[in-house]
Amino acid sequence: LAFLWFLVIILQYQTVIQAYENVPFTDTFLAVSATLFTKVILPVSVGDLGIREGASVFYYSLMNVPRPAAFNAAFLIFIINFLLPALAGSIFVFRLSWENTRLNRKKNPTERN
């Protein structure tokens, strides 16, 4: 499963970075591997935001990929893999909380919060 996760992340990076710059797959493989390693050993941010982008810019720039392309690719990967699922999940969490509050009020109509 870890290998498949790693492969999916590399393919996502390759697909997204191709929208900005033509980058060989081997360069993406090396840059993403180093980026993932760096963000794992530096767990100092929320959702790895900032670490991932900085590492991506650094490693891709070693392969002569423009910095904006590397930053945009890393930020889009954050949006696709972290932000959008979190926003979608928060809708369900708030709906569940609202349903529980409504059910509790039906059970105890005389109680005031």
Side-chain angles (χ1 to χ4, degrees):
L1 287 176
F3 175 75
L4 290 175
W5 172 82
F6 184 69
L7 185 63
V8 166
I9 296 295
I10 290 174
L11 292 175
Q12 284 178 332
Y13 265 95
Q14 180 66 19
T15 303
V16 172
I17 198 111
Q18 289 298 326
Y20 300 105
E21 191 72 27
N22 190 15
V23 178
F25 183 77
T26 54
D27 289 352
T28 295
F29 179 80
L30 293 173
V32 172
S33 299
T35 299
L36 292 176
F37 178 74
T38 302
K39 79 174 192 125
V40 166
I41 64 170
L42 295 173
V44 293
S45 68
V46 175
D48 298 322
L49 191 58
I51 302 295
R52 179 188 311 103
E53 288 77 13
S56 178
V57 166
F58 176 74
Y59 293 119
Y60 270 116
S61 67
L62 294 176
M63 296 162 195
N64 298 321
V65 175
R67 291 176 180 208
F71 176 84
N72 290 339
F75 192 66
L76 275 174
I77 294 298
F78 167 76
I79 290 172
I80 292 167
N81 289 339
F82 187 78
L83 190 61
L84 290 177
L87 291 175
S90 67
I91 292 169
F92 293 107
V93 168
F94 289 127
R95 180 195 274 171
L96 181 64
S97 174
W98 181 77
E99 288 291 326
N100 284 339
T101 304
R102 194 177 65 138
L103 288 174
N104 285 338
R105 286 185 184 160
K106 276 187 175 180
K107 287 180 184 176
N108 302 322
T110 58
E111 231 179 77
R112 292 224 156 177
N113 292 334

